[in-house]
Amino acid sequence: MVSSDPSQTDWPDLAGRLVNDEDGTPGHILPVRVYFEDTDFSGVVYHATYLRWCERGRSDFLRLLGNDHEALLNGKDGRPPAAFVVRRMELDFRAPARIDDVLTVRTHAANIGAAAIDLAQEIYRGEKLIFAASVQVVLVSLEGKPLRVGTALRAAFTAEA
């Protein structure tokens, strides 16, 4: 019988997985398959789809580091309720993806400032880099004011996975 409330243990790879980058810092990989709904009229992945996949990669990276969106919004560890918002993105579309391709979204923190985190995100088809993004997210209160990235969150982005 299939459970109506699958947990992370029922679907262990649903959120991708943490991996160590070359320098030992945690990174994240998330496999995705290209479906018809991801493509435009020409059969090529629609440009905005890459942004959705990157959002999933960032969200699951946070989740696996123990700092998912719900925990941030609920004020985990006595911190004020907060959320990450995208401040800046730089996108580089290098090669098209097409229906049924299996891709890998790779995410890692490139720099951690007082309130902002710069993330590098790449999407690969096999070993071929097809998309790259530089994304800056800022931790803000529910009122929209920047908050300092706390020690625990900072450590989660820099400790070995």
Side-chain angles (χ1 to χ4, degrees), residues 81-148:
F84 279 109
V85 296
V86 172
R87 180 174 184 265
R88 179 182 313 127
M89 296 182 107
E90 182 177 321
L91 311 174
D92 186 8
F93 298 88
R94 297 187 178 193
R98 299 181 189 282
I99 194 159
D100 289 331
D101 282 352
V102 175
L103 309 173
T104 304
V105 180
R106 298 181 186 177
T107 305
H108 72 271
N111 184 54
I112 303 172
I117 300 174
D118 296 325
L119 296 160
Q121 295 194 275
E122 299 169 326
I123 298 179
Y124 287 83
R125 180 180 48 243
E127 295 299 314
K128 181 178 175 109
L129 177 64
I130 65 168
F131 175 84
S134 175
V135 182
Q136 184 177 71
V137 295
V138 177
L139 187 65
V140 297
S141 68
L142 298 185
E143 294 77 31
K145 296 184 182 187
L147 297 172
R148 292 188 68 78

Side-chain angles (χ1 to χ4, degrees), residues 1-154:
M1 176 172 221
V2 176
S3 169
S4 63
D5 184 21
S7 68
Q8 182 66 21
T9 58
D10 294 333
W11 297 92
D13 291 332
L14 184 62
R17 66 179 183 271
L18 294 176
V19 295
N20 285 334
D21 286 343
E22 297 80 29
D23 64 358
T25 58
H28 178 264
I29 59 173
L30 178 69
V32 295
R33 180 179 303 278
V34 177
Y35 293 101
F36 183 76
E37 67 184 10
D38 299 320
T39 63
D40 62 17
F41 69 94
S42 69
V44 172
V45 169
Y46 183 64
H47 69 279
T49 301
Y50 293 92
L51 300 180
R52 286 197 317 267
W53 290 334
C54 285
E55 176 66 33
R56 291 177 197 167
R58 290 191 305 275
S59 295
D60 284 334
F61 187 26
L62 272 176
R63 179 177 291 106
L64 292 177
L65 289 175
N67 291 283
D68 60 90
H69 293 294
E70 185 177 1
L72 287 170
L73 287 170
N74 290 331
K76 179 181 177 183
D77 298 330
R79 291 187 46 83
F84 279 109
V85 296
V86 172
R87 180 174 184 265
R88 179 182 313 127
M89 296 182 107
E90 182 177 321
L91 311 174
D92 186 8
F93 298 88
R94 297 187 178 193
R98 299 181 189 282
I99 194 159
D100 289 331
D101 282 352
V102 175
L103 309 173
T104 304
V105 180
R106 298 181 186 177
T107 305
H108 72 271
N111 184 54
I112 303 172
I117 300 174
D118 296 325
L119 296 160
Q121 295 194 275
E122 299 169 326
I123 298 179
Y124 287 83
R125 180 180 48 243
E127 295 299 314
K128 181 178 175 109
L129 177 64
I130 65 168
F131 175 84
S134 175
V135 182
Q136 184 177 71
V137 295
V138 177
L139 187 65
V140 297
S141 68
L142 298 185
E143 294 77 31
K145 296 184 182 187
L147 297 172
R148 292 188 68 78
V149 175
T151 305
L153 186 55
R154 184 178 302 277

